[in-house]
């Protein structure tokens, strides 16, 4: 009897100690795993932030419906940083110190990520950035920061090479880029491709972030004889450029990067945007994978929320899927350190066909996903896939 | 020469928008001595309301040009009555801070009510390009210029010949003396806010129909501020001219110097002009600056 009691007591003590040890690990309990994020849910940046949040919501609901991660329910904490880096730092402090999340799957943009990074590093919190991949975030590399998507520099180089394959060799090229880190990366990628392919570039025009009017840039491009315009702009700037090209009568190809490739862009550009070519690392909602995502979205989101989906919903979804894969591979011993270690060994992580498989390593914290190309079709009001 | 003409005409097209908004800034300052830093946001709000009304009624685009000033007058009166009038007698700095707060509030409310997605202006004008002297322009840009000329001429005539306009100038000169002369300065204040909002609303609808309606539209209002400083903070028609000058200067700098300097070109011009004429090109000498 005494031996049985001793054994029972020891077992209970062992369970209690294990539970205590488990409870001490931030963001993980026996029944839950907490993940956090902060993006702009208000202000002009909310177009990106809300869509991203909704994509994460779909992914989390799907995971929880399938039994969670190793039996633990995924709980999300999401903050609005208004695309203001100082607010991202506040949000990160709340997520890490008050909500005690295991990892962070979203921060607004480059500046916000860099601003929040010291706290994340201090606390050893794994961070994902799935919407923007600027060199400045990953060079030098940070132990706990991972990027999923396509670095702007190499992505632009690949895009220009794709475009060059479809263009007359004598065509003159020009790039119009924002005067920030994003623009720097696009410019370096453009210049690398121009050099490697021996293209004729008539210049790089840099504009102030937030500029609304592009007549001078497009008139100049026409004056220089440009036939290919590579845009390092986001959304509104691409609209303005396409419209100015039509007004000025510039018969050239406008090519845009994924950051501005939202469905609404075709409506906003109108007829002027017909034929604009875009590169992206996430697929279309009309693809089989996109349709499967939409079926899930219809199950988990409200009708109003469905209207707010765009490509950033897919990047949000992919981020949660990657983080869930890393947590799952930690088994029952989930910790921030373990998640970072598992992210560094992510191999061929599937995203239900929304992107190419994700691969990361200790030396490479940015998963360079495969680009696909689409062309704006104003009549159909959609981005139509282009054959390579 | 064609290159130069393209840059100038394009600059005039955007300058007309700056000019309309700039007239709004000056209209308020002239009558009340307040710099309204929410002018861009007021413009954005009126544009959103007008776009929603057009969507609901399925009225044609040109009705937006009638609705925008009407909505603008309403918005201007409400803002003046609810936000500005209770601040009468307070230091100018406090009122300016209130307009900054109003700007932030309006930006948030717009995203709350209309969402953050940019959208096309309903029934936006024809996308066919009109050739004028070999230079392409969208019909709405031609329309914007004609409206700008009409508004500038009307403002000049109003201030010079109408009783209300003269009362407004008297109020600008001295509020106390104007009151002693029987001018209802509160009415003048309300009128200036209504007029400024109407002008901004027109500018917003014209710009949005050529571009899009989005929660970053307020930035166009910020660009019009240098136009007002250049023309003279208390000079309504001068601010209109300042808008054209800023639009053309930006384009010439972008075209001939460096496109990255385009956005700051207007501010550089202001520095030089203000060094020579501290009250702007057409401003009165006794302007109190904030």
């Amino acid at each position: 009897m005494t031996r049985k009691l001793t054994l029972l007591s020891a077992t209970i003590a062992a369970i209690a100690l294990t539970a205590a040890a488990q409870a001490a690990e931030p963001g993980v309990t026996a029944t839950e795993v907490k993940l956090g994020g902060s993006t702009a849910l208000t202000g002009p940046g909310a177009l990106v932030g809300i869509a991203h949040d909704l994509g994460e919501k779909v992914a989390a609901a799907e995971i929880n419906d399938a039994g969670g991660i190793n039996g633990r329910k995924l709980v999300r904490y999401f903050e609005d940083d208004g695309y203001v880096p100082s607010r991202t730092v506040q949000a990160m402090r709340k997520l890490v110190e008050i909500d005690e999340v295991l990892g962070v799957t979203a921060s607004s943009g480059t500046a916000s990520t860099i601003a929040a990074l010291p706290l994340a590093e201090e606390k050893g919190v794994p961070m994902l950035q799935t919407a923007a991949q600027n060199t400045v975030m990953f060079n030098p590399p940070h132990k706990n920061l991972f990027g999923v998507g396509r670095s702007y520099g190499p992505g632009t180089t690949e895009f220009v090479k794709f475009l060059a394959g479809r263009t007359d060799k004598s065509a003159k090229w020009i790039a119009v880029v924002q005067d920030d880190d994003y623009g720097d990366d696009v410019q370096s990628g453009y210049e690398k491709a121009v050099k490697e392919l021996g293209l004729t570039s008539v210049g790089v025009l840099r504009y102030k972030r937030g500029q609304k009017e592009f007549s001078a840039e497009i008139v100049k491009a026409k004056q220089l004889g440009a036939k290919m315009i590579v845009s390092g702009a986001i959304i509104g700037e691409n609209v303005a450029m396409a419209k100015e090209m039509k007004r000025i009568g510039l018969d050239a190809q406008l090519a845009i990067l994924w950051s501005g490739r939202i469905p609404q862009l075709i409506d906003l550009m109108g007829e002027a945007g017909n034929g604009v070519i875009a590169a992206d690392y996430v697929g279309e909602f009309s693809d089989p994978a996109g349709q499967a995502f939409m079926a899930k979205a219809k199950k988990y989101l409200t009708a109003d929320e469905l209207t707010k989906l765009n490509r950033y919903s897919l990047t949000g979804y992919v981020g949660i899927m990657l983080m869930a894969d890393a947590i799952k591979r930690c088994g029952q011993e989930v910790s921030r350190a373990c998640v970072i270690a598992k992210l560094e060994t992510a191999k061929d992580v599937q995203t239900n066909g929304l992107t190419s498989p994700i691969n990361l390593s200790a030396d490479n914290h940015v998963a360079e996903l495969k680009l696909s190309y689409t062309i704006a079709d104003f009549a159909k009001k959609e981005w139509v896939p282009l054959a390579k | 020469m064609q290159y130069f003409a393209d840059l100038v005409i394009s600059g005039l097209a955007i300058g007309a928008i700056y000019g309309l908004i700039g007239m709004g800034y000056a209209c308020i300052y002239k009558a009340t001595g307040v710099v309204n830093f929410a002018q861009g946001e007021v413009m954005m709000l009126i544009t959103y309301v007008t776009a929603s009304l057009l969507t609901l009624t399925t009225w044609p685009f040109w009705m937006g040009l009638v609705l925008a000033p009407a909505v603008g007058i309403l918005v201007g009166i409400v803002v003046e009555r609810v936000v500005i009038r209770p601040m009468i007698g307070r230091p100018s700095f406090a009122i300016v801070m209130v307009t900054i707060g109003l700007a932030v509030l309006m930006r948030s409310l717009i995203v709350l009510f209309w969402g953050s997605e940019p959208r096309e202006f309903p029934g936006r004008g024809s996308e066919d390009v009109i050739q004028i002297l070999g230079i392409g322009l969208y019909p709405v840009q031609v329309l914007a210029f004609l409206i700008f000329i009409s508004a500038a001429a009307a403002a000049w005539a109003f201030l010079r010949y109408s009783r209300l306009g003269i009362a407004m100038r008297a109020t600008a000169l001295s509020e106390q003396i104007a009151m002693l002369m029987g001018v209802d300065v509160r009415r003048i204040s309300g009128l200036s806010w209504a007029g400024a909002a109407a002008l901004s609303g027109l500018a917003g609808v014209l710009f949005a129909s050529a571009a899009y309606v989005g929660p970053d539209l307020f930035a166009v209002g910020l660009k019009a501020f240098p136009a007002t400083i250049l023309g003279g903070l208390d000079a309504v028609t001068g601010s209109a001219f300042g808008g054209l000058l800023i639009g053309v200067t930006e384009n010439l700098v972008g075209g001939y110097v460096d496109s990255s300097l385009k956005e700051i070109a207007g501010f550089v011009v202001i520095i030089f002009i203000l060094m020579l004429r501290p009250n702007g090109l057409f401003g009165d000498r006794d302007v109190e600056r904030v």
Side-chain angles (χ1 to χ4, degrees):
Chain A
M1 186 65 184
T2 310
R3 279 184 67 183
K4 279 185 181 175
L5 273 174
T6 308
L7 191 63
L8 185 64
S9 304
T11 309
I12 290 168
I15 291 169
L17 278 172
T18 309
Q22 191 68 73
E25 195 57 51
V28 188
T29 68
T31 56
E32 285 183 350
V33 176
K34 296 183 197 172
L35 290 180
S38 77
T39 59
L41 301 178
T42 54
L47 175 73
V48 172
I50 291 174
H52 183 103
D53 178 36
L54 293 173
E56 286 200 0
K57 190 176 172 183
V58 173
E62 183 187 350
I63 288 166
N64 288 336
D65 269 6
I69 307 169
N70 291 333
R72 292 186 177 101
K73 194 179 171 194
L74 198 161
V75 181
R76 286 190 322 121
Y77 293 79
F78 220 79
E79 297 294 320
D80 174 20
D81 64 20
Y83 212 84
V84 178
S86 60
R87 286 179 61 190
T88 309
V89 175
Q90 291 170 12
M92 179 64 91
R93 196 165 289 284
K94 178 180 177 293
L95 290 168
V96 172
E97 294 179 352
I98 297 172
D99 300 327
E100 293 195 317
V101 297
L102 176 70
V104 171
T105 52
S107 59
S108 284
T110 306
S112 293
T113 304
I114 290 170
L117 201 49
L119 180 64
E121 284 187 305
E122 182 195 328
K123 303 285 183 183
V125 180
M127 270 183 89
L128 278 186
Q129 174 52 267
T130 61
Q133 284 76 43
N134 278 330
T135 310
V136 69
M137 279 191 287
F138 300 100
N139 187 20
H142 300 274
K143 176 71 181 167
N144 57 328
L145 178 63
F146 297 85
V148 178
R150 198 77 169 95
S151 299
Y152 289 121
T156 304
T157 304
E158 188 181 323
F159 188 26
V160 171
K161 286 180 177 178
F162 168 79
L163 293 165
R166 299 168 48 90
T167 313
D168 184 355
K169 285 200 182 337
S170 62
K172 290 179 179 174
W173 294 63
I174 197 165
V176 184
V177 302
Q178 206 159 266
D179 68 340
D180 58 5
D181 295 328
Y182 166 58
D184 288 345
D185 276 5
V186 173
Q187 182 174 345
S188 70
Y190 167 79
E191 286 171 342
K192 185 167 185 257
V194 163
K195 192 176 173 186
E196 283 180 13
L197 298 177
L199 302 173
T200 308
S201 174
V202 291
V204 175
L205 305 180
R206 293 176 69 86
Y207 68 86
K208 286 271 171 218
R209 189 176 176 171
Q211 187 174 312
K212 295 269 166 283
E213 203 273 334
F214 283 82
S215 56
E217 287 78 2
I218 299 302
V219 169
K220 192 166 189 174
K222 186 181 179 186
Q223 172 77 0
L224 294 169
K227 287 289 175 190
M228 294 297 295
I229 301 179
V230 177
S231 162
I234 312 290
I235 296 169
E237 304 88 341
N238 285 325
V239 175
M241 277 192 249
K243 291 196 170 188
E244 284 301 323
M245 284 171 67
K246 186 182 177 196
R247 182 176 74 78
I248 300 292
L250 173 55
D251 180 23
Q253 174 68 60
L254 179 62
I256 68 167
L257 293 175
W258 47 90
S259 43
R261 200 190 65 95
I262 58 168
Q264 295 95 324
L265 191 66
I266 295 178
D267 279 335
L268 298 177
M269 291 189 295
E271 290 170 10
N274 215 17
V276 170
I277 294 179
D280 204 341
Y281 56 86
V282 292
E284 288 299 296
F285 285 116
S286 56
D287 293 345
Q291 287 177 2
F293 172 85
M294 282 306 292
K296 289 169 204 161
K298 282 174 186 166
K299 185 176 172 187
Y300 300 121
L301 302 180
T302 65
D304 182 50
E305 286 174 332
L306 286 172
T307 64
K308 295 184 170 114
L309 296 177
N310 60 40
R311 68 170 297 281
Y312 290 100
S313 308
L314 304 183
T315 64
Y317 179 92
V318 166
I320 289 286
M321 285 297 171
L322 174 62
M323 194 65 101
D325 174 82
I327 297 167
K328 190 176 180 182
R329 285 188 290 122
C330 285
Q332 291 304 314
E333 304 299 317
V334 181
S335 66
R336 287 172 174 168
C338 174
V339 172
I340 290 172
K342 295 299 178 190
L343 282 171
E344 285 185 334
T345 55
K347 189 165 173 57
D348 288 335
V349 177
Q350 298 299 316
T351 60
N352 293 331
L354 291 172
T355 66
S356 56
I358 297 171
N359 290 289
L360 293 164
S361 69
D363 298 328
N364 179 23
H365 277 208
V366 186
E368 297 285 356
L369 303 179
K370 193 179 162 191
L371 289 179
S372 59
Y373 306 99
T374 50
I375 186 164
D377 188 325
F378 182 65
K380 289 183 182 169
K381 297 279 176 81
E382 63 182 47
W383 293 97
V384 178
L386 270 176
K388 271 209 169 188
Chain B
M1 190 60 195
Q2 177 69 29
Y3 182 54
F4 176 78
D6 267 336
L7 290 170
V8 170
I9 297 291
S10 303
L12 289 174
I14 188 67
I17 302 290
Y18 296 158
L20 280 170
I21 305 168
M23 285 166 69
Y25 276 112
C27 194
I28 290 174
Y29 188 84
K30 191 168 184 67
T32 65
V34 171
V35 178
N36 176 22
F37 281 105
Q39 197 69 13
E41 285 73 11
V42 167
M43 176 200 77
M44 183 162 73
L45 176 66
I46 298 163
T47 308
Y48 266 97
V49 172
T50 306
S52 294
L53 289 173
L54 287 183
T55 306
L56 282 173
T57 56
T58 66
W59 283 342
F61 163 72
W62 63 265
M63 271 301 289
L65 299 174
V66 179
L67 282 172
V71 172
I73 287 169
L74 194 66
V75 169
I77 288 172
V78 169
V79 168
E80 196 272 337
R81 285 286 167 93
V82 177
V83 183
I84 302 301
R85 197 166 288 191
M87 296 294 293
I88 285 178
R90 303 288 172 89
S92 295
F93 180 73
I95 303 175
V96 167
M97 290 310 291
V98 164
T99 67
I100 292 171
L102 185 66
V104 175
L105 181 70
M106 281 183 172
R107 279 183 225 172
S108 300
L109 288 178
I110 282 166
V111 172
L112 193 69
F113 283 110
W114 283 280
S116 52
E117 301 83 12
R119 60 194 74 185
E120 62 178 299
F121 193 83
R124 64 182 165 201
S126 166
E127 291 185 54
D128 295 335
V129 177
I130 301 169
Q131 295 293 326
I132 297 174
L133 301 173
I135 294 162
L137 285 169
Y138 286 118
V140 73
Q141 290 179 306
V142 179
L143 191 62
F145 201 75
L146 293 175
I147 288 174
F148 164 79
I149 296 286
S150 309
W156 176 80
F158 172 79
L159 289 169
R160 191 169 180 87
Y161 299 114
S162 76
R163 287 176 67 86
L164 269 176
I166 292 166
M168 192 181 272
R169 285 162 56 202
T171 308
L173 204 62
S174 169
E175 200 173 282
Q176 284 181 330
I177 294 173
M179 280 174 76
L180 290 172
M181 296 300 289
V183 174
D184 184 348
V185 292
R186 289 188 171 189
R187 189 175 165 218
I188 294 296
S189 171
L191 182 75
S192 66
W193 278 84
L199 288 166
S200 299
L202 265 175
V205 165
L206 289 164
F207 184 82
S209 59
Y212 59 90
V213 187
D216 55 352
L217 200 58
F218 69 90
V220 182
L222 293 178
K223 292 296 299 295
F225 189 63
T228 311
I229 301 291
L230 181 62
L233 201 46
D234 63 345
V236 179
T237 45
S239 295
F241 180 73
L244 294 182
L245 208 56
I246 293 288
V248 172
T249 303
E250 281 182 354
N251 263 21
L252 290 176
V253 169
Y256 285 105
V257 186
D258 190 324
S259 56
S260 63
L261 299 176
K262 182 179 154 179
E263 291 287 288
I264 58 168
F267 292 94
V268 175
V269 169
I270 286 175
I271 291 169
F272 282 112
I273 295 287
L274 292 186
M275 284 165 78
L276 297 171
R277 291 185 62 88
N279 301 319
L281 288 175
F282 303 97
D284 291 337
R285 285 184 181 274
D286 57 348
V287 174
E288 180 188 301
R289 297 196 177 275
V290 177

